[in-house]
Amino acid sequence: MSEAKNQRKQKRRGLVLGAGGVLGAAWSIGALVALEETEGFDVRDVDVLIGTSAGSVLASLLGAGVSPSELRDDLLGKPVLTGPLAGYTYDHERATGGSLPSRPRPGLGSTRLLLHSVRHPMSVTPMAALSSVLPAGRGSLWSVRHLVESVTPLGEWSPHPQLWVVAMDYDSGRRVAFGRQGAPAAALAEAVLASCSIPAWYAPVKIDGRRYIDGGTCSPTSVDLLAGYDLDEVHVIAPMASFDYDDPGSVAGKVERGFRRTVTRRMIREAGKVRSAGTQVTMVGPGRDDLEAIGANMMDPGRRQVVLETSLRTSVEALRRSRDDELSWSA
């Protein structure tokens, strides 16, 4: 193949949208707008699209043809006049039930997962083991279901041929990427709700007789699922990971930042599996300014617009810096 033909060959890309709650979704929208600006491709056209928890909602919308700029305008309260969201009203303030969960149900969330965790402690993540002893939540995500169903044929999967939605089997601790070959069949809205069902916050979602909860309990990004898929480059938008930190004064803020460091280390290990096959992986997460805007509660809808506006400002530079670091590493 000639050099000219090589240059014209379209890159095979993957896009990973990680977990992060209400504010993680707001930050991710800004990062998606920045990604298109810095890299010059339409994020809806990637070969593989992976979404976990809040990232699964965004991935389902991208897969249905909604653009990052339309997501941005909607979150800023501007009317969306074109595309699948045209004329749709989504109540960002109340859609996820507010910044605190309702009182959960009494009892253990999953006795079977607890027993499995005790017998095979190395087979589940610490978050998965913890979720087994947390009580099942009572919260409902009916607004999210309605949103996904409004842009996707009822009961069907995404128009995107390779959209994967990550959730965790609540009894086995097994990670399941709905939409991937070999995964259980599911309607897209059901898979997204399962992926978003935070332990002790929202009720588990039943699919084909099995209960599923938030995929972030297994991995906040699941970028390692792309290892071996012969992709040229993978972009990871990870609202729960960071490479630059603020110094919060509150105990809650310090705990959140400590957890964030753990998430970041896991993501880097997972990305290494994809890099080992020669794929360029660019990862970006909220930086110092973003974290100051986010605070300690990723589920606080009152901060969503300031988080988005901050991300629109910071993510372009963060992506450029991440890309330069990646190129230096590859060299």
Side-chain angles (χ1 to χ4, degrees):
M1 185 180 290
S2 69
E3 182 178 351
K5 287 183 178 179
N6 267 318
Q7 291 175 348
R8 289 197 299 268
K9 181 184 176 183
Q10 186 175 0
K11 289 184 177 180
R12 283 179 48 79
R13 295 186 174 98
L15 176 62
V16 178
L17 301 177
V22 172
L23 297 186
W27 176 85
S28 295
I29 291 171
L32 286 167
V33 172
L35 179 59
E36 289 195 332
E37 179 182 335
T38 58
E39 299 299 323
F41 69 90
D42 190 326
V43 297
R44 297 170 293 184
D45 293 337
V46 296
D47 294 271
V48 186
L49 180 57
I50 300 179
T52 302
S53 197
S56 74
V57 181
L58 298 181
S60 69
L61 296 174
L62 293 178
V66 181
S67 70
S69 60
E70 290 164 350
L71 293 172
R72 173 201 62 201
D73 290 348
D74 176 67
L75 193 55
L76 291 175
K78 300 177 181 179
V80 178
L81 303 177
T82 60
L85 283 184
Y88 187 85
T89 301
Y90 181 74
D91 188 346
H92 292 278
E93 192 69 33
R94 296 185 294 179
T96 55
S99 59
L100 295 173
S102 56
R103 179 175 295 181
R105 302 178 186 278
L108 298 176
S110 176
T111 303
R112 291 180 63 183
L113 178 56
L114 174 59
L115 292 174
H116 178 77
S117 301
V118 171
R119 292 168 180 163
H120 309 282
M122 301 304 294
S123 68
V124 297
T125 66
M127 281 298 296
L130 175 61
S131 70
S132 70
V133 299
L134 293 175
R138 296 180 188 267
S140 170
L141 290 167
W142 66 269
S143 292
V144 173
R145 177 197 295 274
H146 190 270
L147 173 64
V148 175
E149 290 180 343
S150 73
V151 298
T152 305
L154 187 64
E156 296 184 15
W157 196 248
S158 171
H160 192 286
Q162 288 292 334
L163 167 64
W164 304 346
V165 172
V166 181
M168 186 187 80
D169 186 310
Y170 204 14
D171 290 318
S172 70
R174 183 170 63 96
R175 180 173 60 176
V176 176
F178 291 103
R180 191 184 187 198
Q181 186 175 5
L188 180 59
E190 293 293 326
V192 169
L193 259 63
S195 184
C196 292
S197 293
I198 302 171
W201 198 304
Y202 300 112
V205 175
K206 273 194 174 183
I207 297 176
D208 196 24
R210 298 193 67 86
R211 298 186 304 161
Y212 294 91
I213 61 171
D214 196 313
T217 55
C218 290
S219 168
T221 63
S222 284
V223 59
D224 58 309
L225 292 179
L226 292 177
Y229 269 80
D230 193 29
L231 298 172
D232 297 301
E233 57 187 38
V234 169
H235 296 272
V236 185
I237 306 297
M240 284 303 302
S242 291
F243 299 97
D244 183 30
Y245 290 87
D246 63 343
D247 186 19
S250 69
V251 173
K254 292 181 184 299
V255 170
E256 196 276 347
R257 302 307 185 260
F259 176 70
R260 184 174 289 274
R261 286 181 168 87
T262 301
V263 167
T264 304
R265 289 192 292 269
R266 180 181 181 89
M267 178 182 69
I268 291 172
R269 289 196 303 270
E270 291 181 350
K273 299 177 182 179
V274 183
R275 283 191 170 114
S276 66
T279 299
Q280 179 177 315
V281 182
T282 302
M283 300 172 285
V284 65
R288 179 179 297 267
D289 290 350
D290 301 293
L291 293 176
E292 290 177 356
I294 289 171
N297 184 358
M298 299 290 286
M299 294 298 289
D300 182 1
R303 291 175 174 259
R304 66 189 185 279
Q305 290 190 350
V306 69
V307 169
L308 170 60
E309 290 166 351
T310 304
S311 179
L312 290 168
R313 174 173 57 83
T314 61
S315 291
V316 169
E317 180 58 31
L319 281 161
R320 287 174 178 161
R321 185 168 59 251
S322 178
R323 180 184 58 194
D324 292 342
D325 289 346
E326 169 62 29
L327 291 175
S328 299
W329 190 352
S330 297

